[in-house]
């Protein structure tokens, strides 16, 4: 894939950069933003000329539909810098495609490729100093779209705003992660919006996650809402289970986000001759495997953390600790994947795209 | 119930009113706003001093959590003016209570009663000329709260903004309403946020509703997401079915909003000696009743439309027209309810509250 820089764009550069004020060694995830942002408005059925301008608050009407009816979607991707100072994206075509799928599900307009991809390239060219070298460093990219159209009547807006903001990130380490398996709460309905990266899916998880946190669990593994018997995904990650030497993960569905890390891990594991079985994984199976010692690993997979090993899980008041193992699939696959992302290993899949 | 005006508030009045520019005979719902709005910010665990100021756009950071994670809730209520020019609210305590329930479910802070109710009273005192007399006229009230806290990490915000905006409304007539019974899409999950007035619930319905509109149906009657056999509610209304002379409506649950119009209709119908049966209503029952002629009426119930009669419904490609009946429960109950709201009939329930 080759991305063409967007030429039809207005650029209004910041007079001074904030970059020297930033402590790149002590970044917390998602709280620092670069000097510029991209904005493109959709008015009466037409995408307007995009603009890159200094990162700053913007004005919006109190009756904007995003506030009342939650028409809002986003993507999460990363830019990496290699040893030759080239900047790379990882499978950005997948993010672009998924963004427009989310848009359709939320009755929002699709964003054209030249705005999303070409605009992103242009923005990254301007902000390339914000992408730091070294394993774990990256520039987190947040494209999003909100309904700016006015009116407190529950119907799709006619005005929208697409934006891209950028946040420098250190390697994401969330400490030892213990998870709770959901018995009552759910993140998605059959025929609902779980497969879209829609804003409303995330706030729905905050309260149950807070309850889990209070019990000492950092995250929840969601189960299907109808029976709570199938293991589906974590808050912002897909989830893998290793029983003996096979990796299991749920098939994507209307309830589960089609994660790019997940699908990359599946391909990578196959290349490494690891058995991968994509099929519904039952809570009961997991408990049995934990009890009889065949459960070796559980890990989450997503852009922010890449792979996040889980040390234990709780279900119906029972806590199951995962064994410490020597040859961890999680750590091995994480290394192989990040080596591709940082251009340390050869990208035999053609996943990386140069800016 | 007696509402105490909020005294601890800053008031900054508009220099001129827009009221003379408004054509009150030709209002479309939710598009015109009064001169002022109320704002109250929540910062670091503390609600700040509220302010009433001219209605206008406000500035917000691109990384505000409302845009990315959908932390946003609202209420919908109305103010009515009686023949003596007094302004009345209908069961506002119920909206206040429900608002804070929604807040808890979305991991947002509860709004204090003096800010919500006292602030609303103060705002209505200022805007009382915007409440027009005459059956059908009202001032629609939209209290809402959004997460203004910054950061693209999926966790509850620490900064929030509570606002009240007001929109003058004519009687809500949406033409002849035909509905589609949901066979695939859903609005809420078991253990999800369907019972909260959370922004994300509404945008989730836009795309399926658009598909229904394209087939000639104005609304969808949602069914339970697991089996699609139980009739639950319409887009922004609860729903009643009259079979013979009994009214049926689903019990509220985690998937169904506890509507104030719904619960008022149940009480009113009982007073009128109409049999009301609150229990799960099956799609199959509805089809059978439509076929054997015992299905007399279907209607939606909600603040905006009060009662919205439905003329026909479609299920699995079959269309069922409802009979034209002489003594309609829908019209009778609507008249009785609005007479209470407009202080034309005695309020034996104690539902109305003077401003
Ligand atoms: C709900 C959910 N599941 C899974 C993922 C992982 O997707 P990806 O690997 O594309 O980042 C995400 C996003 O990060 C997510 O929000
Ligand atoms: C999903 C939903 N159901 C039902 C209702 C009806 O509730 P109420 O009668 O309190 O307006 C509303 C709100 O208007 C709603 O948004």
């Amino acid at each position: 894939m080759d991305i063409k820089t967007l030429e039809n764009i207005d650029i209004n550069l910041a007079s001074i950069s904030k970059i020297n004020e930033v402590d790149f060694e002590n970044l917390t995830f998602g709280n620092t933003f670069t000097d510029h942002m991209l904005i493109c408005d959709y008015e009466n059925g037409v995408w307007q000329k995009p603009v890159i301008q200094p990162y700053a608050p913007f004005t919006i009407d109190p009756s904007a539909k995003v506030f009342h009816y939650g028409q809002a979607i986003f993507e999460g991707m990363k830019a990496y810098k290699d040893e030759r100072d080239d900047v790379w994206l990882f499978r950005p075509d997948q993010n672009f495609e998924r963004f427009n799928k989310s848009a359709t599900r939320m009755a929002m307009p699709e964003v054209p490729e030249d705005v999303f991809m070409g605009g992103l390239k242009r923005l990254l060219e301007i902000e390339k100093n914000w992408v730091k070298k070294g394993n774990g460093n990256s520039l987190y990219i947040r494209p999003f779209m909100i309904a700016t159209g006015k009116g407190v009547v529950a119907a799709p807006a006619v005005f929208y705003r697409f934006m891209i903001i950028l946040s420098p990130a250190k390697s994401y380490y969330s400490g030892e992660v213990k998870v709770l398996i959901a018995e009552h709460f759910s993140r998605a309905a059959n025929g609902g919006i779980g497969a879209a990266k829609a804003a409303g899916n995330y706030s729905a998880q905050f309260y149950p996650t807070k309850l889990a946190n209070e019990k000492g669990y950092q995250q929840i593994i969601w189960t299907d809402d109808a029976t709570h018997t199938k293991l589906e995904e974590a808050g912002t990650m897909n989830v893998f289970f290793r029983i003996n030497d096979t990796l299991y993960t749920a098939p994507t569905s209307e309830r589960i986000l089609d994660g790019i890390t997940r699908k990359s891990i599946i391909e990578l594991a196959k290349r490494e001759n690891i058995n991968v079985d994509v099929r519904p994984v039952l809570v009961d199976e997991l408990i049995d495997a934990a009890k009889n010692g065949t459960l070796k690993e559980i890990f989450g997979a997503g852009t922010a953390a890449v792979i996040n090993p889980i040390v234990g899980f709780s279900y119906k008041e029972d806590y199951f600790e995962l064994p410490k193992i020597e040859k961890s699939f999680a750590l091995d696959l994480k290394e192989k994947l990040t080596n591709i992302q940082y251009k340390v290993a050869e990208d035999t899949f053609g996943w990386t795209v140069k800016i």
Side-chain angles (χ1 to χ4, degrees), chain A:
Chain A
M1 186 198 196
D2 205 33
I3 309 176
K4 256 183 59 196
T5 299
L6 182 64
E7 299 294 343
N8 183 27
I9 187 168
D10 286 327
I11 294 182
N12 165 13
L13 294 182
S15 48
I16 36 165
S17 174
K18 298 173 294 196
I19 198 166
N20 293 326
E21 294 159 29
V22 173
D23 177 1
F24 282 87
E25 292 308 307
N26 294 294
L27 293 165
T28 59
F29 192 85
N31 287 313
T32 304
F33 296 93
T34 68
D35 293 320
H36 302 91
M37 60 186 184
L38 180 140
I39 298 182
C40 188
D41 286 325
Y42 179 87
E43 297 175 5
N44 297 314
V46 184
W47 285 102
Q48 308 296 305
K49 193 174 183 185
V51 52
I52 287 173
Q53 63 183 57
Y55 183 96
F58 61 99
T59 62
I60 182 164
D61 199 81
S63 75
K65 301 227 182 204
V66 60
F67 296 141
H68 302 269
Y69 306 116
Q71 265 189 305
I73 59 169
F74 68 96
E75 268 303 327
M77 44 208 295
K78 280 179 175 174
Y80 310 89
K81 194 171 257 178
D82 70 11
E83 284 306 315
R84 299 149 97 187
D85 282 332
D86 284 328
V87 174
W88 297 83
L89 296 175
F90 183 73
R91 309 186 78 175
D93 53 314
Q94 299 285 321
N95 294 97
F96 171 62
E97 207 180 280
R98 189 170 65 185
F99 191 77
N100 278 341
K101 272 194 197 151
S102 300
T104 300
R105 182 60 182 87
M106 303 312 288
M108 300 169 86
E110 290 192 5
V111 174
E113 183 166 346
D114 63 337
V115 174
F116 187 106
M117 297 291 263
L120 174 59
K121 182 171 171 130
R122 195 74 191 244
L123 185 61
L124 287 174
E125 283 162 358
I126 292 170
E127 303 292 52
K128 62 176 179 298
N129 291 340
W130 289 84
V131 198
K132 296 295 177 194
K133 265 191 284 207
N135 201 305
N137 294 329
S138 66
L139 186 62
Y140 181 77
I141 300 165
R142 173 58 61 93
F144 65 105
M145 175 165 37
I146 55 172
T148 48
K150 302 176 205 177
V152 292
V153 62
V158 288
F159 294 87
Y160 295 89
R161 170 164 283 194
F162 170 70
M163 298 181 79
I164 306 178
I165 57 179
L166 306 172
S167 175
K170 292 276 306 169
S171 130
Y172 193 97
Y173 179 67
S174 34
E176 292 219 323
V177 176
K178 291 180 190 169
V179 298
L180 205 63
I181 295 181
E183 292 163 45
H184 173 76
F185 290 109
S186 315
R187 79 173 280 283
N190 296 299
I193 59 170
K197 249 178 120 71
N201 286 331
Y202 296 84
S203 46
Q205 304 177 55
F206 290 171
Y207 175 70
T209 304
K210 197 166 83 171
L211 298 182
N213 293 164
E214 284 164 10
K215 289 187 176 173
Y217 301 94
Q218 287 70 45
Q219 283 174 32
I220 292 175
I221 295 186
W222 299 103
T223 49
D224 67 296
D225 81 302
T227 67
H228 293 292
T229 58
K230 291 179 219 153
L231 296 157
E232 306 226 296
E233 63 174 321
T236 56
M237 293 194 287
N238 296 105
V239 52
F240 286 82
F241 307 90
R242 174 181 169 191
I243 298 177
N244 289 320
D245 283 340
T246 299
L247 278 182
Y248 296 88
T249 192
T252 56
S253 74
E254 274 182 323
R255 293 188 306 264
I256 300 183
L257 194 84
D258 186 5
I260 296 159
T261 316
R262 172 187 173 279
K263 70 172 80 162
S264 305
I265 285 171
I266 293 172
E267 290 192 55
L268 207 52
K270 284 181 181 162
R271 192 189 70 182
E272 300 300 308
N273 291 315
I274 294 171
N275 221 359
V276 184
D277 201 351
V278 178
R279 63 152 172 84
V281 186
L282 303 178
V283 178
D284 281 351
E285 288 184 77
L286 187 75
I287 306 291
D288 286 348
K291 285 187 177 159
N292 69 28
T294 53
L295 179 67
K296 306 290 184 201
E297 293 179 75
I298 305 179
F299 58 88
T303 294
V306 190
I307 285 181
N308 204 342
I310 287 162
V311 300
F313 70 92
S314 168
Y315 181 65
K316 294 203 169 150
E317 309 298 321
D318 284 332
Y319 179 69
F320 300 88
E321 183 99 20
L322 285 158
K324 309 243 172 309
I325 46 162
E326 272 192 17
K327 236 189 114 320
S328 154
F329 284 1
L331 298 186
D332 182 47
L333 290 166
K334 178 169 184 172
E335 192 186 331
K336 295 222 158 66
L337 189 56
T338 52
N339 281 347
I340 294 175
Q341 291 169 332
Y342 287 90
K343 304 301 285 180
V344 174
E346 196 195 344
D347 172 15
T348 55
F349 298 98
W351 284 338
T352 52
V353 179
K354 195 156 140 179
I355 281 298

